[in-house]
Amino acid sequence: MAAAGGSPSIVEYFGGEDGYRCGYCKNETGNLSHGMWAHSMTVQDYQDLIDRGWRRSGKYVYKPIMNQTCCPQYTIRCQALHFQTSKSHKKVLKKMLKFLSKGDVPKVVSEEEPMDSHIEDAGTCDFAYKGESHVSQSELTPLGVDHTERAEDEDQDTGEKKEEGNVQKVESDSLRLHADKETPVPGEPSHSAKVHAPPKPGKGADLSKPPCRKAKDIRKERKLQKLLQNQTCTVEGSQLQAADQVFLLQNSKSKTNQPKTIEDFVFVSLPDDAQHKLEFTRFLCDSPLEAENAPNGPECGYGSFHQQYWLDGKIIAVGVIDILPYCVSSVYLYYDPDYSFLSLGVYSALREIAFTRQLHEKAPDLCFYYMGFYIHSCPKMRYKGQYRPSDLLCPETYIWMPIEQCLPLLEHSKYCRFNQDGKAVDEGRIKELGRVRVLHKRTVMPYSVYKKRRKGPSDEASVQQYASLVGQTCSERMLLFRS
């Protein structure tokens, strides 16, 4: 996607020689990254940049120096179209549904999940908080709009106690909110940590006894028996009617045994007497990304958006997302700590995955959900790998690799080249430095021209570093500001 006649991206490159404090391991000077200030940026340029390991925090765009930084941060994406909810994800979704429909609050309210250290970066973002008075009821979208299944029909799970870590809190003038977007899924370790011990002799299944049956199957059989007993099949028509009902009940098993999709939970219709009402509204928000609309794009357009979560007319969370040509990129989430028992970090991530799938229906190229960085060297940040299927970006060839292939490598070394093809190279690498676009004294020119006009010491090394990091394509589209 081109800029479509709009303004080009304008960036100011800073380099990245000095280390600063790491929010993951707390090393005072171990966090090393390259950075640039985005005065403006097209959504296509930012899409290409995050596919080369960059990430934005407000208007500051940074790329970790992967082979030097103390905690390498690998770009991770979830294949939203193939996403399958895990057991712990379903528990979070059911917990929300039970709270909304019946007012159920978990008996054991533990602290909310830990969050990514980049919450300090969130403070630099241009976050224009919209208060309750700025939104009319007509702008709100109900939780359930197109599914007929009701929340009270969900499986009767007793729920398990979740292990959840500590969080930090930030204060707002009008509402106390957490800044969280990188929340872990409690109670479900990564695949690399699972150990399956062989069964002990004599402890296996007793084949002489009938296999265990699910309670819902037993209830269905009882319903069948009761239906047959109550039917007075004295005429042929009645016999056919009874048989038809039995056939439908028997064949409904194949449908109910199908794994539920994320939409089955997120867009479920609530009962008329639901205790609470959860609504959503979305607004364009201030960011370096230039809002764009395209004929084959989503109806809301591309750009940065606030997603507001309203509970009974009170705002309880605000998520920030970037809608890009190929993905929804999650930036961060603010939420009211009084509602941390709802695991809003996990819930918002699942809703954003469902939203990505919705956008794909109108924009076929948009099919991924980016969760920022995966930090394997920081155990509390490994939760992102549980949103499957997911891929990690190779830091040398910028090729996406299935996370299952990457985890064994990361167990041996915190920095890894995931692409095991030794001959593979960065196909987007800089090839012609002279074609890098430069903005100098309000004039756009290729670097080859700027280099001849420049007075003073050469800046070729800095421009070469910039171009190698953003790649040939972006270096020819974006304008590198030179004073």
Side-chain angles (χ1 to χ4, degrees):
M1 175 189 298
S7 302
S9 301
I10 302 175
V11 299
E12 197 168 353
Y13 181 64
F14 296 136
E17 288 72 29
D18 299 328
Y20 55 96
R21 187 175 186 274
C22 176
Y24 303 105
C25 69
K26 311 307 179 186
N27 186 313
E28 291 297 329
T29 58
N31 198 338
L32 298 168
S33 68
H34 302 284
M36 58 187 179
W37 189 260
H39 295 276
S40 65
M41 182 165 288
T42 67
V43 291
Q44 184 63 62
D45 283 340
Y46 185 52
Q47 175 74 70
D48 291 345
L49 286 175
I50 61 176
D51 285 339
R52 292 184 64 84
W54 292 83
R55 190 77 180 164
R56 82 172 183 89
S57 176
K59 294 188 175 183
Y60 183 71
V61 189
Y62 61 99
K63 174 178 166 59
I65 305 177
M66 298 292 284
N67 60 351
Q68 297 180 33
T69 190
C70 54
C71 297
Q73 303 163 53
Y74 298 90
T75 303
I76 185 172
R77 72 178 186 185
C78 173
Q79 299 179 29
L81 303 188
H82 305 290
F83 175 74
Q84 294 292 331
T85 49
S86 69
K87 183 178 179 180
S88 57
H89 293 154
K90 290 178 181 177
K91 286 181 178 178
V92 170
L93 293 169
K94 290 178 181 179
K95 178 169 60 176
M96 175 65 80
L97 289 174
K98 290 177 181 178
F99 172 72
L100 295 175
S101 60
K102 302 178 181 179
D104 290 355
V105 175
K107 294 181 180 179
V108 179
V109 181
S110 56
E111 293 183 346
E112 178 63 347
E113 302 87 348
M115 53 189 168
D116 187 274
S117 69
H118 284 291
I119 59 165
E120 58 246 32
D121 294 339
T124 67
C125 300
D126 298 319
F127 181 78
Y129 172 73
K130 251 182 159 349
E132 184 173 336
S133 60
H134 295 88
V135 183
S136 66
Q137 288 296 316
S138 61
E139 294 179 284
L140 300 178
T141 304
L143 170 67
V145 291
D146 53 6
H147 283 252
T148 56
E149 185 178 7
R150 297 207 174 251
E152 65 264 30
D153 293 332
E154 294 294 336
D155 294 341
Q156 302 298 314
D157 286 355
T158 56
E160 297 179 9
K161 181 178 179 181
K162 297 176 174 59
E163 297 179 4
E164 300 173 333
N166 295 327
V167 295
Q168 303 170 27
K169 297 181 180 179
V170 289
E171 298 294 328
S172 169
D173 292 338
S174 56
L175 178 67
R176 291 183 300 117
L177 295 169
H178 276 293
D180 173 29
K181 189 60 241 153
E182 326 251 60
T183 49
V185 179
E188 187 159 297
S190 63
H191 284 275
S192 61
K194 291 184 178 179
V195 178
H196 300 282
K200 296 180 180 180
K203 297 296 184 180
D206 188 347
L207 299 180
S208 65
K209 297 181 178 179
C212 295
R213 301 172 61 197
K214 292 184 178 180
K216 63 180 180 181
D217 291 335
I218 296 175
R219 291 196 298 269
K220 186 174 293 184
E221 182 177 305
R222 289 174 179 170
K223 190 172 183 179
L224 280 171
Q225 294 174 347
K226 186 175 181 180
L227 177 64
L228 291 172
Q229 290 172 357
N230 292 339
Q231 289 290 338
T232 56
C233 305
T234 56
V235 297
E236 185 177 1
S238 298
Q239 289 175 346
L240 288 174
Q241 184 181 19
D244 288 343
Q245 293 186 47
V246 172
F247 176 81
L248 290 173
L249 282 171
Q250 288 175 335
N251 284 274
S252 67
K253 180 178 181 180
S254 60
K255 181 179 179 180
T256 56
N257 281 351
Q258 290 293 324
K260 290 187 176 181
T261 66
I262 190 171
E263 288 84 0
D264 292 331
F265 292 99
V266 171
F267 300 122
V268 62
S269 296
L270 294 174
D272 294 335
D273 60 348
Q275 296 295 305
H276 299 287
K277 186 177 183 181
L278 185 63
E279 300 168 297
F280 301 87
T281 186
R282 188 174 300 112
F283 297 95
L284 273 169
C285 63
D286 186 23
S287 88
L289 299 186
E290 300 291 337
E292 294 182 21
N293 288 280
N296 60 342
E299 293 182 2
C300 60
Y302 300 103
S304 298
F305 294 82
H306 285 158
Q307 293 204 116
Q308 299 182 350
Y309 294 65
W310 293 78
L311 181 67
D312 302 331
K314 174 187 177 182
I315 190 167
I316 64 169
V318 179
V320 178
I321 59 172
D322 294 332
I323 300 180
L324 305 176
Y326 310 134
C327 74
V328 168
S329 177
S330 179
V331 183
Y332 53 84
L333 175 82
Y334 288 124
Y335 62 88
D336 188 331
D338 290 343
Y339 295 91
S340 60
F341 65 88
L342 291 174
S343 302
L344 290 172
V346 177
Y347 180 76
S348 66
L350 295 171
R351 278 202 66 95
E352 288 169 3
I353 291 174
F355 180 51
T356 303
R357 290 157 66 114
Q358 281 187 320
L359 294 179
H360 170 76
E361 296 177 5
K362 180 68 168 60
D365 291 338
L366 203 163
C367 52
F368 296 102
Y369 176 64
Y370 285 47
M371 297 187 68
F373 289 130
Y374 174 84
I375 305 100
H376 193 78
S377 57
C378 181
K380 74 173 185 177
M381 295 308 300
R382 297 182 185 180
Y383 70 91
K384 294 181 185 178
Q386 294 166 6
Y387 290 77
R388 301 290 179 95
S390 290
D391 307 305
L392 294 183
L393 187 68
C394 176
E396 296 182 10
T397 62
Y398 303 112
I399 297 296
W400 293 100
M401 305 294 291
I403 193 171
E404 292 83 0
Q405 297 180 23
C406 304
L407 295 180
L409 301 174
L410 291 171
E411 287 294 328
H412 290 89
S413 174
K414 63 181 182 180
Y415 172 74
C416 295
R417 171 191 166 113
F418 298 138
N419 190 335
Q420 295 300 290
D421 181 359
K423 297 180 180 180
V425 296
D426 170 19
E427 296 294 339
R429 66 190 182 281
I430 185 70
K431 301 178 182 69
E432 297 183 52
L433 187 64
R435 296 180 61 176
V436 173
R437 295 182 78 195
V438 172
L439 177 63
H440 177 59
K441 294 183 178 180
R442 299 185 180 182
T443 304
V444 177
M445 65 190 74
Y447 179 69
S448 57
V449 174
Y450 164 77
K451 182 179 178 181
K452 295 176 182 179
R453 295 184 180 181
R454 177 181 171 81
K455 298 178 181 180
S458 172
D459 63 350
E460 185 169 332
S462 175
V463 175
Q464 176 72 48
Q465 185 182 65
Y466 155 80
S468 66
L469 293 169
V470 304
Q472 185 75 42
T473 301
C474 280
S475 72
E476 291 183 27
R477 281 199 310 246
M478 301 193 304
L479 302 183
L480 174 63
F481 175 79
R482 309 308 282 172
S483 58

